[in-house]
Amino acid sequence: MKTWTYIDITQFYNSLKSIYLIMMVSIGMAAHILGVCRKTLRRWEKNGVITPVRTPGNHRRYDKNALITFGKTGDYAPPEKTKTGNAAVYGRVSSHRQKDDLKRQISFLQKRAKNDGYTPKIYKDIGSGLNDKRKGLRRLVKHALTGHFDKVYVTYLDRLARFGTQIILDVFKVNAIDYEVVQVAEDVGFNQLLVNDVIALVTSFSGKLYRRRKGKNVTPKVHSS
């Protein structure tokens, strides 16, 4: 089983970011597509001509196809998302010994989604938050991009990932998907959060180094003739 490093995770989230940026572009790229300056786009936004969406970091994002149509017709009309009535519930634990905890997470989130009037759709993983190959997370992101649900429920944000969580939230935002962190983690302070991240990275690198050494120490079998 592969141990994923910070570089692996960064590459994954950069590729994830490129996927949704194919659909949603920045103000600079929007200006280039339309052949105008950024100031013109801001003025159009103020006058209600073109209204971009905002990421959690308050950056403007424009629908690329709607921009192309606007350049031809003068009408900026991004496709409205059809409400599905579904909500994604995502749970994750680090090892198979925590299966009972995973069941509790999913059950708790399902009840919350139902109480809010949604039909819950389950996404779950058993694996490290540093592992970018988690099938449940990848399916969650893919379905977010294709409009399978209206909202995402998680117990804590680090259930989604140890690093790069903001990019996942950006994917939700630009696809008009709400998210709710049902249980807010205790405020342990910046120093403790930094320590937790360093421990996670050291654990990842240590596991990778151990597996590499273990592979080198395997003695090949000699078959007698």
Side-chain angles (χ1 to χ4, degrees), residues 129-211:
L130 292 172
N131 185 347
D132 71 335
K133 297 295 184 182
R134 283 176 282 141
K135 292 182 179 180
L137 176 63
R138 284 180 169 268
R139 191 164 62 93
L140 177 75
V141 172
K142 179 181 178 181
H143 286 178
L145 290 169
T146 51
H148 280 58
F149 45 76
D150 306 322
K151 189 170 183 176
V152 177
Y153 290 86
V154 293
T155 51
Y156 302 101
L157 280 181
D158 66 3
R159 297 300 87 192
L160 290 172
R162 288 292 296 156
F163 297 98
T165 307
Q166 190 61 52
I167 297 176
I168 299 177
L169 298 183
D170 281 354
V171 171
F172 295 159
K173 176 70 175 180
V174 298
N175 286 281
I177 296 172
D178 294 328
Y179 73 92
E180 182 174 345
V181 180
V182 180
Q183 298 177 3
V184 181
E186 181 182 355
D187 185 6
V188 295
F190 174 78
N191 289 339
Q192 186 60 50
L193 289 175
L194 184 60
V195 169
N196 292 343
D197 286 344
V198 170
I199 290 175
L201 282 172
V202 170
T203 301
S204 174
F205 280 108
S206 297
K208 187 173 184 179
L209 182 61
Y210 171 76
R211 287 170 176 78

Side-chain angles (χ1 to χ4, degrees), residues 63-83:
D63 184 282
K64 185 175 181 179
N65 291 331
L67 287 172
I68 295 173
T69 300
F70 177 83
K72 298 176 180 178
T73 67
D75 181 27
Y76 181 79
E80 293 186 6
K81 181 183 175 183
T82 302
K83 294 295 183 181

